[in-house]
Amino acid sequence: MNQRPNIVFIMSDDHAAQAISAYGHGINSTPNIDRLANEGMRFDHCYVTNSICAPSRATILTGMHNHLNGVFGLHEHIDNRQPNVAKYLKQGGYQTAIIGKWHLGEGPGHCPTGFDFWSVVPGQGDYYDPTFIEASGEQKDEGYVTDIITDKCLGWLDERDADKPFFLMCHHKAPHRSWHPKAEHRSLYTDPIRVPDTFDDDYKNRAAAAMNAQMRVSHDMNYKDLDIEPHEGKGPRDLIPFPEDVTGFELTCSVTGEVFTFASQDELKRFKYQRYMQKYLQCVHSIDENVGRLLDYLDEQGLAENTLVVYTSDQGFFLGEHGWFDKRFIYEESFRMPFLVRYPEGICAGTICTDMASNVDFAETFLDYAGLPIPRHMQGRSLRPLLEEQTPDDWTEIAYQRYWMHRDDAHNAYAHYGIRTHDHKLIYWYNEGMGVQGTQPGGETPEWELFDLEKDPLELFNVYHDPAYADVVKDMTRRLDVHMLEIGDVPAH
Ligand code: CA
């Protein structure tokens, strides 16, 4: 019997904390994911270093920021020769596996390394009858992707060597767009869902990036993603223009054939939001069920006590806040990651951590629990003292993000970096490309933003130029400079 803990790392794709009931937003119910909060620790301030899929995954694996691991955006593939947490754990006696979404490139130089077993979907993967790539080749599995990923995890656990500890990365593809819920979940969440307070944001008093982002549920959400039949006159990416005048404008549901008409533009906007949330939350429902299956398995096998189980998402997501869907921005909803950890032998049940944590800390945390040295090139810090409610005096007071892709084709999101403390957030929109793939030329002049998170938690008023905040600006800029120097990231300001 091994004494070192097993580690199960469950990560979904684009699952916002607002859609986990343990976080208290009340729009849906996730009783199985909530078990990890009730029986372990909930982190309220865990942040992503770059709010987009591939870079976040690269940081989690390597324990390094993107300027060092080389995955700046969606178009760079990981160089799989570099060290990663799985390689260290395997070398240290763990059995290792990754099953589900990888999204760091395919082929010899980019496929998963450090894993005894890997079975990953190519690119974003499919919701139904997905293809998986393994060391032995490609195969297609029939059924629903979230169920299949869990089946594969349970199958690998069944076949493992019970004398050795294990490290399992269970990476769900859901609830990434386009949302395809499991057939039996399509009747869920049909009651109207509460609209966020900032849904009708006018983007005034903010940097130009907010106004110019093409992430609005009203104008930029693809109707096909909402099960609406594309029809004539559609724009690029199957976008049907958002009509100024809704007279005579109708939409047909591609599943039921139901026809919808609208009394006002506002009604159409809210219709799109409700359809978006229904499908998103239906996909989340399947994830919750499958987290339950995995936790039940650990219970049945007598593994729950000595297994550290994490639930997180590769970043946050806008669920209608500021009128948006998608991610990318350092604004709170996409910056914050859900992060729940259960380890009955070492973490008190029902605890909440309000200290700053980040995805660059995950690899170090796993190595710490495995009793292995943390390599000096890793840039985060083990979260173990926080999980044991012994926060060191010198624990960081800031969280940092840098988003590199400038004015990407899909959402026109601007490149930026910034930091957040518990009280303030400082953002620099440098408004130029830095040679990163997926970057488009042009933009506005550089801009700074400062938000007073105590007075303005919804981040609606940029106070950077308010003389009353001159000292805060000075202090936050100093903190940003020090942090960028520490991690070796080159400033653009
Ligand atoms: Ca993602």
Side-chain angles (χ1 to χ4, degrees):
M1 181 68 192
N2 75 76
Q3 292 303 307
R4 292 195 291 174
N6 306 302
I7 300 165
V8 174
F9 179 76
I10 311 170
M11 180 163 72
S12 52
D13 193 353
D14 296 357
H15 189 181
Q18 307 92 285
I20 293 176
S21 39
Y23 279 97
H25 289 254
I27 59 169
N28 66 335
S29 175
T30 51
N32 295 296
I33 296 172
D34 290 3
R35 274 186 65 187
L36 299 177
N38 298 334
E39 298 165 14
M41 182 174 276
R42 183 186 89 195
F43 281 69
D44 284 358
H45 291 285
C46 184
Y47 295 97
V48 68
T49 50
N50 183 352
S51 182
I52 194 144
C53 300
S56 172
R57 289 157 198 273
T59 290
I60 289 167
L61 276 172
T62 61
M64 294 190 294
H65 288 267
N66 300 131
H67 62 281
L68 294 187
N69 65 39
V71 182
F72 297 92
L74 292 177
H75 303 281
E76 294 86 13
H77 296 158
I78 198 162
D79 180 341
N80 65 11
R81 294 170 299 182
Q82 62 187 309
N84 70 38
V85 65
K87 290 182 186 180
Y88 288 114
L89 287 167
K90 185 170 152 65
Q91 207 171 33
Y94 273 68
Q95 294 165 89
T96 56
I98 182 166
I99 295 165
K101 186 168 172 183
W102 170 247
H103 204 207
L104 290 167
E106 284 113 37
H110 315 298
C111 63
T113 45
F115 297 95
D116 294 309
F117 175 72
W118 53 275
S119 183
V120 297
V121 296
Q124 299 287 1
D126 293 320
Y127 273 96
Y128 279 96
D129 302 337
T131 296
F132 285 82
I133 307 173
E134 298 181 0
S136 56
E138 243 183 62
Q139 64 179 81
K140 209 175 172 65
D141 286 73
E142 275 181 33
Y144 189 65
V145 69
T146 310
D147 295 335
I148 296 169
I149 288 170
T150 309
D151 292 344
K152 284 177 181 279
C153 288
L154 300 183
W156 181 77
L157 287 170
D158 269 340
E159 287 172 18
R160 78 187 196 284
D161 176 355
D163 293 330
K164 288 166 80 180
F166 61 83
F167 174 58
L168 169 64
M169 302 187 97
C170 167
H171 286 190
H172 287 297
K173 175 255 181 315
H176 192 283
R177 193 160 64 102
S178 306
W179 306 284
H180 293 292
K182 201 174 166 181
E184 46 265 62
H185 296 155
R186 284 178 181 270
S187 58
L188 298 171
Y189 297 107
T190 47
D191 287 341
I193 292 151
R194 181 168 46 83
V195 177
D197 293 342
T198 57
F199 186 61
D200 294 309
D201 196 349
D202 58 9
Y203 313 109
K204 284 181 185 157
N205 313 305
R206 239 80 44 80
M211 177 72 88
N212 294 340
Q214 292 172 0
M215 310 196 310
R216 295 187 205 177
V217 174
S218 57
H219 291 67
D220 306 308
M221 184 167 272
N222 187 330
Y223 282 82
K224 234 160 104 176
D225 288 343
L226 305 176
D227 287 339
I228 297 294
E229 201 77 58
H231 46 101
E232 285 184 27
K234 72 186 180 191
R237 294 181 285 121
D238 292 323
L239 279 174
I240 301 167
F242 189 64
E244 289 298 322
D245 178 5
V246 294
T247 315
F249 182 83
E250 57 183 44
L251 296 173
T252 308
C253 177
S254 55
V255 179
T256 63
E258 196 178 347
V259 175
F260 301 94
T261 57
F262 306 91
S264 65
Q265 202 184 33
D266 190 59
E267 193 180 297
L268 170 59
K269 182 177 168 183
R270 276 159 172 71
F271 168 86
K272 290 184 80 174
Y273 170 74
Q274 293 296 338
R275 299 273 293 201
Y276 159 38
M277 290 309 298
Q278 275 169 21
K279 296 194 71 183
Y280 181 91
L281 295 176
Q282 287 164 1
C283 291
V284 167
H285 190 84
S286 178
I287 291 191
D288 186 65
E289 276 189 356
N290 278 286
V291 169
R293 287 178 65 207
L294 201 42
L295 295 182
D296 288 348
Y297 179 92
L298 297 177
D299 287 338
E300 288 156 14
Q301 300 291 317
L303 293 166
E305 283 295 309
N306 193 36
T307 300
L308 185 124
V309 183
V310 173
Y311 184 83
T312 190
S313 164
D314 60 346
Q315 19 47 222
F317 211 69
F318 294 104
L319 303 182
E321 298 90 359
H322 303 286
W324 289 328
F325 64 100
D326 214 68
K327 53 237 179 185
R328 299 161 197 267
F329 283 156
I330 193 174
Y331 298 131
E332 201 64 7
E333 295 82 1
S334 61
F335 187 30
R336 184 167 77 146
M337 308 169 83
F339 193 67
L340 307 168
V341 191
R342 185 188 77 174
Y343 177 37
E345 285 186 4
I347 301 171
C348 291
T351 44
I352 293 170
C353 179
T354 56
D355 295 310
M356 294 291 179
S358 148
N359 61 334
V360 78
D361 302 322
F362 297 176
E364 295 82 340
T365 307
F366 303 150
L367 294 174
D368 192 358
Y369 275 102
L372 296 170
I374 297 167
R376 289 175 64 90
H377 68 264
M378 287 193 175
Q379 298 183 299
R381 194 168 172 183
S382 168
L383 300 170
R384 186 170 181 167
L386 276 54
L387 289 157
E388 293 175 348
E389 299 172 88
Q390 304 280 333
T391 303
D393 291 339
D394 65 345
W395 192 258
T396 185
E397 291 174 0
I398 65 163
Y400 173 79
Q401 130 135 338
R402 183 165 193 168
Y403 176 76
W404 290 83
M405 294 168 73
H406 185 59
R407 305 190 66 216
D408 64 291
D409 210 23
H411 297 295
N412 198 38
Y414 288 15
H416 62 283
Y417 51 74
I419 55 165
R420 183 206 203 280
T421 61
H422 280 97
D423 302 325
H424 298 98
K425 187 178 287 181
L426 178 74
I427 312 171
Y428 183 61
W429 305 91
Y430 49 99
N431 290 339
E432 58 176 332
M434 299 286 282
V436 179
Q437 291 181 59
T439 285
Q440 305 295 327
E444 320 291 323
T445 48
E447 283 184 277
W448 287 93
E449 284 187 318
L450 179 76
F451 294 100
D452 182 336
L453 299 176
E454 200 186 327
K455 288 185 183 159
D456 177 28
L458 300 178
E459 303 172 324
L460 296 173
F461 300 97
N462 175 16
V463 293
Y464 185 85
H465 300 287
D466 182 339
Y469 286 89
D471 287 345
V472 177
V473 165
K474 209 171 151 187
D475 176 58
M476 289 293 283
T477 310
R478 184 190 57 80
R479 287 172 187 253
L480 174 67
D481 288 343
V482 168
H483 187 75
M484 292 187 87
L485 190 62
E486 275 172 3
I487 64 171
D489 200 354
V490 180
H493 66 273

